[in-house]
């Protein structure tokens, strides 16, 4: 079976037929809190599974991810026009916008979502220069991750290790392989997290001088750690935070007012959320979008709570 998306099914990099997406009742995602030693580097460990023959969904703009796939063969289709397969032991670089995924199932995955500091400490890569890719993890992390991945995937398939146990083992690998980060860079990353979380529309000028860096240096370092320069990064998190609030069962009057004030008008809000999240606001609480709902849950923006 060919599960690839055709060009006629794509509009601006997003699926044109939302009704095709896999139903919520068929997907399960378990989140595992990272152990204390890796909490600054990992937003969450996870175990994902769906046993349908074809799984279609949209991955919101996200942070980096170390992901292992014991079952399922598919790909991500990026807005730039390239497709990357889900390598059995993969490394998803930070995403600049929502990206469709399609997989021949059953589809199971476990791994770790990395904070900006975790991405840098584990990979050493410039997040902005390598964003929007799904790479073989060994091309960045070396042969040890492939050897570990083979053992975990074999154990998972044989039923001798659970998805939770495999995810925790991925966390152990991260703990063993993180490298020190320049303390001034850490200060800047923490300040950027506070800056992003303080307002839907933070002023770029407020970052100037942080950790003793000039405005130009701040621009370069923010892109290095977060994958986007400050202005684009603020757009991304404005959309993700608005989507997280709009997807909640109840929206307070204060949050509704804050969201309304964050965008020029309703069409602007719809465009921005669709660009970074992959749905219009009316679809955010749709039961047919479970993976989306999990990924924009507020706990997955924990990298802002530095």
């Amino acid at each position: 079976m060919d599960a690839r998306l055709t060009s006629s099914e794509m509009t601006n990099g997003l699926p044109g037929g939302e009704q095709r997406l896999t139903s919520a009742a068929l997907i399960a995602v378990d989140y595992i809190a990272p152990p204390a030693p890796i909490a600054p580097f990992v937003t969450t460990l996870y175990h994902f599974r769906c046993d349908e023959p074809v799984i279609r969904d949209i991955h919101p703009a996200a942070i980096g991810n170390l992901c292992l796939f014991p079952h399922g063969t598919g790909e991500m289709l990026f807005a730039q026009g390239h497709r990357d397969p889900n390598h059995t032991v993969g490394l998803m670089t930070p995403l600049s916008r929502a990206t469709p995924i399609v997989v021949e199932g059953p589809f199971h995955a476990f791994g770790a979502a990395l904070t900006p500091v975790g991405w840098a400490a584990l990979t050493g890569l410039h997040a902005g220069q390598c964003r929007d890719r799904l790479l073989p993890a060994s091309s960045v992390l070396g042969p040890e991750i492939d050897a570990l991945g083979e053992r975990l995937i074999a154990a998972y398939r044989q039923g001798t290790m659970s998805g939770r146990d495999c995810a925790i083992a991925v966390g152990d690998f991260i703990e063993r392989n993180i490298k020190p980060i320049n303390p001034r860079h850490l200060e800047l990353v923490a300040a950027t997290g506070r800056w992003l979380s303080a307002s839907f529309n933070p002023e770029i000028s407020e970052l100037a001088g942080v950790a003793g860096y000039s405005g130009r240096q701040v621009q370069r370092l923010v892109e290095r750690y977060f994958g986007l320069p400050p202005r684009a990064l603020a757009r991304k998190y404005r959309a993700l935070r608005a989507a997280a609030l709009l997807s909640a069962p109840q929206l307070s009057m204060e949050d509704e007012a804050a969201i309304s004030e964050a965008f020029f008008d309703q069409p602007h809000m719809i465009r921005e959320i669709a660009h970074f999240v992959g749905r219009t606001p009316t679809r955010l609480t749709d039961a047919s979008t479970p993976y989306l709902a999990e990924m924009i849950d507020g706990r997955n923006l924990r990298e802002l709570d530095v």
Side-chain angles (χ1 to χ4, degrees):
M1 180 185 299
D2 186 357
R4 288 165 63 94
L5 291 175
T6 65
S7 59
S8 63
E9 293 178 298
M10 305 301 300
T11 303
N12 296 324
L14 300 176
E18 289 184 347
Q19 73 280 2
R20 291 169 165 267
L21 298 178
T22 304
S23 169
L26 302 172
I27 293 180
V29 186
D30 297 330
Y31 286 97
I32 303 108
I38 61 170
F41 309 101
V42 172
T43 298
T44 186
L45 303 170
Y46 63 85
H47 176 211
F48 173 101
R49 58 242 183 246
C50 178
D51 293 323
E52 286 297 284
V54 177
I55 296 92
R56 297 172 185 270
D57 218 311
I58 299 175
H59 202 305
I63 53 183
N65 203 300
L66 179 56
C67 39
L68 284 71
F69 302 100
H71 299 295
T73 302
E75 61 185 4
M76 301 186 79
L77 180 62
F78 297 91
Q80 298 87 341
H82 63 276
R83 302 171 185 257
D84 284 341
N86 65 319
H87 307 278
T88 306
V89 183
L91 184 69
M92 187 184 78
T93 70
L95 301 181
S96 65
R97 62 168 299 167
T99 304
I101 60 175
V102 58
V103 181
E104 293 183 23
F107 181 31
H108 292 205
F110 53 83
L114 302 169
T115 66
V117 169
W119 171 263
L122 180 64
T123 72
L125 295 179
H126 188 297
Q129 293 176 358
C130 64
R131 63 180 176 242
D132 299 318
R133 297 303 306 264
L134 186 53
L135 306 172
S138 61
S139 68
V140 177
L141 303 178
E144 181 187 351
I145 188 60
D146 266 355
L148 173 66
E150 289 176 5
R151 292 197 299 272
L152 295 179
I153 287 170
Y156 182 90
R157 289 172 176 169
Q158 294 162 7
T160 58
M161 286 185 72
S162 67
R164 177 187 178 87
D165 290 340
C166 290
I168 290 173
V170 171
D172 292 340
F173 170 86
I174 292 170
E175 183 178 2
R176 294 193 304 272
N177 286 276
I178 53 176
K179 308 294 191 301
I181 299 293
N182 183 317
R184 287 180 67 198
H185 290 188
L186 289 175
E187 184 181 348
L188 174 64
V189 171
T192 302
R194 292 191 296 269
W195 174 75
L196 288 167
S197 60
S199 168
F200 276 109
N201 286 306
E203 294 291 335
I204 304 298
S205 60
E206 294 173 1
L207 281 179
V210 170
Y213 290 113
S214 68
R216 182 171 295 181
Q217 289 172 315
V218 166
Q219 291 272 340
R220 291 199 300 265
L221 287 170
V222 167
E223 184 169 10
R224 172 177 170 180
Y225 283 91
F226 288 85
L228 291 168
R231 190 174 303 280
L233 185 68
R235 280 184 60 207
K236 170 179 169 177
Y237 277 97
R238 176 180 62 186
L240 291 174
R241 292 177 63 206
L245 291 172
L246 290 169
S247 66
Q250 292 185 328
L251 181 66
S252 70
M253 294 180 63
E254 292 80 4
D255 287 338
E256 183 176 4
I259 293 171
S260 297
E261 293 175 2
F263 300 92
F264 297 126
D265 52 28
Q266 189 174 48
H268 178 228
M269 177 185 69
I270 292 171
R271 288 194 303 272
E272 290 292 280
I273 290 178
H275 180 86
F276 290 105
V277 183
R279 286 294 183 286
T280 59
T282 56
R283 295 298 301 274
L284 290 173
T285 57
D286 193 320
S288 69
T289 60
Y291 190 55
L292 172 78
E294 294 286 1
M295 291 305 297
I296 62 172
D297 188 280
R299 65 191 152 185
N300 287 325
L301 301 181
R302 189 179 64 80
E303 66 268 22
L304 300 186
D305 301 324
V306 181

